[in-house]
Amino acid sequence: MPALPDGDPAPADGRLPGGLDWNRTLRAYVHVPFCSSRCGYCDFNTYTAAELGGLRFDSYVEAIRREIGLATQVGHPRPLASVFLGGGTPSLLPVPDLTAILDGLRQAFGLEPGAEVTMEANPEDVSGDTLAAWREAGVTRLSLGMQSADAATLRLLQRVHTPGAAVAAALAAPAAGFEHVSLDLIYGVPGQSLESWRETVLSAVEAGPDHISAYALGVEPGTALGRQVRRGEVPVPDPDAAAQQYDVADEVLGEHGYQWYEISNWARPGGRCEHNLGYWRGDNWWGFGPGAHSHVDGVRWWNVKRPATYQSMLAAGHSPAAAREVLTAQQRETEQVMLQVRLADGFERAELPEAPVERLLADGLLENGDGARLHLTRRGRMLADAVTRVLLGWD
Ligand SMILES: C[S@@+](CC[C@H](N)C(=O)[O-])C[C@H]1O[C@@H](n2cnc3c(N)ncnc32)[C@H](O)[C@@H]1O
Ligand code: SF4
């Protein structure tokens, strides 16, 4: 699991600097750091029952509710524009615990009318009963980890669900009242042919979600996959094969009415994830839970990662923040370019320096989007880091 970044010490009482703009849109992220088993490629902050000596949802939920209380004391609560329950595996939470978290947020902050409430769910946790209960608890949008329609790819990723399970879950969700459903896919997996990847994208489309994400497989040190690659048991993912798969995804999704709106995300009209757009646009958000990151008006902080430490800090009346950083105006501008470049909404031409833009247009990495706005071409999306460096004058 990656270490937390360094930063300045965070005050034990959770106090934040004065003068922050709390009038900006506020969002909440809740991290649920539990999984029934660990997938071989994943280095997110998550733990299995075996690693924790059993899962204690009640003490976790109590700690989350304490952190919500702390946020109302040191922040300026205003109705949340969106909530995102991510993991780990939020769909493992018993429904009363999920309800307690969402009720806690509603009571402390309130929700804006029509606020998007997303929950990440693993296909094997989805049934008619769980769908109805999650909807009843206030979840409005489901994000399902499909990854692949190919059994061999799912095995290599060490996923426990079968190829049809995510499709079945996505097909069942609208009848339970979910207007918004997303499927996550992974490309660039060693051994998966282009044809098999095309089949995966088509099966995702046939499940009818209004949103599809496709992420390139990252081989992270410290994961089972990282060790298999190091020992030569699994080949290193081929970047050219991954680029071809990205092309296919963009082409097939475009043909079926899904427009890219961020490098790894496509949506049908009305299906964009408002919460994630808020991150890319620099909104304020409070991240609750072990290892969660928060951002308010250029101040960022992140919580300790271990659930037991997180819980004991809150039980002792302390903030669970491990450290924080206050960004300078220059750092904020740089970060805004890095985030905004990823979006199909892109930039007004006048916002960008002329010479780099000319070069990127000539190289076919930027193009005109809606109105006078500029955004990445498909090739530019695959080279987004290089484009960012040119825009920032670093290359
Ligand atoms: C961390 S998971 C949490 C939600 C849920 N447990 C799931 O697996 O879908 C969110 C997404 O991150 C993806 N992910 C995790 N590690 C990744 C990696 N090394 N490369 C690409 N995607 C990864 C997962 O496949 C999943 O779609
Ligand atoms: S990919 Fe999802 S289910 Fe798999 S270990 Fe990571 S968080 Fe858990």
Side-chain angles (χ1 to χ4, degrees):
M1 231 174 269
L4 286 168
D6 292 333
D8 304 326
D13 60 6
R15 225 172 341 107
L16 288 162
L20 298 181
D21 181 3
W22 287 92
N23 288 321
R24 300 152 68 108
T25 301
L26 182 65
R27 304 179 185 278
Y29 172 79
V30 181
H31 190 69
V32 184
F34 310 117
C35 286
S36 49
S37 64
R38 178 170 293 266
C39 308
Y41 59 99
C42 178
D43 75 345
F44 278 60
N45 187 39
T46 187
Y47 306 85
T48 61
E51 286 166 338
L52 295 178
L55 299 183
R56 286 281 314 276
F57 293 112
D58 50 353
S59 46
Y60 159 78
V61 172
E62 197 182 312
I64 294 281
R65 289 184 62 110
R66 286 197 164 116
E67 193 184 358
I68 293 172
L70 174 77
T72 60
Q73 284 161 26
V74 302
H76 294 253
R78 53 171 282 148
L80 299 167
S82 60
V83 176
F84 195 105
L85 294 136
T89 307
S91 52
L92 272 186
L93 275 179
V95 170
D97 293 328
L98 170 69
T99 305
I101 292 173
L102 290 176
D103 282 351
L105 290 171
R106 274 190 286 261
Q107 284 151 16
F109 295 90
L111 292 186
E112 284 186 1
E116 176 188 275
V117 179
T118 300
M119 186 175 86
E120 290 185 329
N122 284 17
E124 62 273 19
D125 297 330
V126 177
S127 68
D129 287 347
T130 54
L131 285 171
W134 296 335
R135 191 68 198 86
E136 171 75 21
V139 179
T140 67
R141 181 174 181 275
L142 271 193
S143 174
L144 294 159
M146 171 171 171
Q147 319 308 345
S148 182
D150 174 53
T153 303
L154 288 177
R155 266 198 307 280
L156 187 136
L157 295 172
Q158 300 181 6
R159 294 292 303 207
V160 294
H161 62 271
T162 52
V167 169
L171 287 169
F178 288 97
E179 201 187 326
H180 301 294
V181 177
S182 179
L183 290 174
D184 276 3
L185 303 177
I186 291 193
Y187 64 95
V189 179
Q192 183 166 32
S193 69
L194 199 55
E195 233 2 83
S196 159
W197 168 248
R198 187 188 296 277
E199 291 302 316
T200 284
V201 180
L202 281 168
S203 342
V205 165
E206 279 158 21
D210 63 352
H211 188 284
I212 293 180
S213 304
Y215 301 109
L217 177 66
V219 177
E220 309 298 343
T223 60
L225 180 67
R227 287 187 288 277
Q228 287 170 310
V229 169
R230 205 179 59 234
R231 292 195 295 258
E233 294 160 11
V234 171
V236 179
D238 172 1
D240 294 332
Q244 283 179 339
Q245 293 187 352
Y246 185 89
D247 267 344
V248 164
D250 196 45
E251 192 182 290
V252 172
L253 292 173
E255 284 163 9
H256 290 84
Y258 297 85
Q259 283 263 328
W260 79 280
Y261 70 99
E262 194 272 344
I263 293 175
S264 307
N265 291 282
W266 290 258
R268 286 188 164 153
R272 294 176 175 202
C273 176
E274 283 302 318
H275 186 87
N276 286 340
L277 277 168
Y279 292 146
W280 297 312
R281 290 178 178 150
D283 288 348
N284 291 344
W285 77 87
W286 196 294
F288 298 92
H293 289 233
S294 302
H295 166 258
V296 175
D297 194 20
V299 179
R300 276 201 300 239
W301 66 97
W302 44 93
N303 288 346
V304 293
K305 293 179 82 170
R306 300 278 317 176
T309 318
Y310 169 81
Q311 287 164 25
S312 60
M313 286 172 88
L314 282 156
H318 295 155
S319 154
R324 78 174 183 201
E325 62 188 354
V326 180
L327 300 179
T328 62
Q330 174 69 47
Q331 284 172 316
R332 290 182 78 176
E333 273 174 37
T334 302
E335 290 208 357
Q336 199 45 49
V337 172
M338 289 172 161
L339 293 170
Q340 207 172 326
V341 77
R342 304 182 61 84
L343 298 175
D345 287 344
F347 302 90
E348 290 282 354
R349 188 167 179 149
E351 289 177 83
L352 296 172
E354 194 50 33
V357 166
E358 290 295 344
R359 180 173 146 201
L360 292 166
L361 285 167
D363 289 348
L365 297 174
L366 278 185
E367 66 186 358
N368 286 298
D370 290 341
R373 298 186 77 83
L374 292 173
H375 66 205
L376 296 170
T377 59
R378 190 189 283 166
R379 202 164 75 83
R381 282 181 257 157
M382 292 184 228
L383 299 170
D385 291 345
V387 173
T388 308
R389 296 183 65 79
V390 173
L391 288 176
L392 291 170
W394 294 349
D395 271 340

